[in-house]
Amino acid sequence: MPHWVLFHERILQSGPRDGCLEEILHMIYHSGYARVYYDALGEEDSKLAQAMEKQMGDCGHAYDGTSKYPNCTFNFYRTDKTCNAGCNAAEYQWVTLVSLLGGLDGTVESATNGNRWCPTWEWKLCSKKDIMDKDPDIYHLYDLDGANPYKLPDKLPSGRYRPHPKPKVRDMELNHKWYWPNECGHEVFCPKKTCARL
């Protein structure tokens, strides 16, 4: 998506939720979590992708022509024909994480201005309780209330940031050995597991 489309269509939108949070989480997911924790959180053939497929029920996929929507049963479904497997995984990761953190059911006021905003045409489990009851695979995979093995965000942004102690500039610098490892050459995105390092 060109940056100007992102800016105009998502960041400047008005309404009950912050589109910036969604787009930022998508970038972090695609460039970080999906690559570093490929077996668990990857875009395809991962535990996250398997949990997503269960929540898509018997609907098939819009991007490959197997869609039966709306004549199907689902908790998660994307009707966008341009949203491939990786796109679907990013949308599922965002909506499950934000739901678990109270960002769609009105629990966290800064996320929804105190209103419930649940996109039921594509996602039906907008509260932590809904996910615990109907999507236990993702609830246990993230384990936000326990070990949180992938260090996912465990609270939504409030708009007020005062880190204490303040991080040193050198702690905030990009380590190019992690992002562009030698065996990947000059690619911005490294293939699957081969290049991601912690």
Side-chain angles (χ1 to χ4, degrees):
M1 171 180 295
H3 70 284
W4 60 269
V5 173
L6 173 67
F7 182 75
H8 287 284
E9 304 240 340
R10 295 303 184 114
I11 294 177
L12 291 181
Q13 74 182 6
S14 60
R17 69 180 185 91
D18 183 356
C20 298
L21 177 62
E22 177 182 355
E23 298 309 323
I24 290 166
L25 285 176
H26 287 336
M27 287 189 292
I28 293 169
Y29 170 73
H30 279 301
S31 300
Y33 290 111
R35 297 187 186 297
V36 175
Y37 302 112
Y38 190 81
D39 291 335
L41 303 175
E43 296 172 357
E44 297 180 63
D45 304 320
S46 67
K47 292 178 182 176
L48 180 135
Q50 291 166 7
M52 177 185 70
E53 288 294 328
K54 285 184 184 178
Q55 297 306 313
M56 292 176 80
D58 62 347
C59 289
H61 303 99
Y63 69 87
D64 67 6
T66 61
S67 177
K68 296 184 215 166
Y69 181 86
N71 301 314
C72 56
T73 304
F74 69 94
N75 286 323
F76 172 76
Y77 190 73
R78 300 278 300 162
T79 59
D80 181 353
K81 292 179 182 177
T82 66
C83 190
N84 62 16
C87 169
N88 275 301
E91 294 291 341
Y92 178 71
Q93 190 274 337
W94 167 75
V95 79
T96 53
L97 181 62
V98 172
S99 294
L100 282 168
L101 299 178
L104 297 182
D105 66 359
T107 304
V108 177
E109 188 172 335
S110 64
T112 61
N113 295 323
N115 300 309
R116 178 180 169 88
W117 184 84
C118 186
T120 55
W121 61 92
E122 65 183 16
W123 177 242
K124 297 181 179 181
L125 310 179
C126 290
S127 72
K128 182 177 182 176
K129 181 177 181 345
D130 288 344
I131 293 178
M132 289 171 68
D133 293 345
K134 297 177 184 170
D135 195 352
D137 293 344
I138 207 70
Y139 177 77
H140 294 298
L141 178 66
Y142 293 171
D143 193 19
L144 297 178
D145 296 328
N148 191 357
Y150 311 108
K151 304 302 179 224
L152 293 165
D154 59 2
K155 65 177 130 174
L156 293 170
S158 68
R160 294 182 299 275
Y161 306 100
R162 297 185 191 280
H164 185 74
K166 290 185 178 180
K168 295 179 177 138
V169 172
R170 65 180 165 86
D171 294 334
M172 303 297 287
E173 292 176 357
L174 176 66
N175 184 330
H176 293 280
K177 290 180 183 175
W178 293 343
Y179 197 70
W180 289 289
N182 290 336
E183 63 263 31
C184 290
H186 295 288
E187 296 178 2
V188 173
F189 296 109
C190 297
K192 296 190 179 181
K193 294 190 252 185
T194 59
C195 300
R197 301 279 188 263
L198 282 178

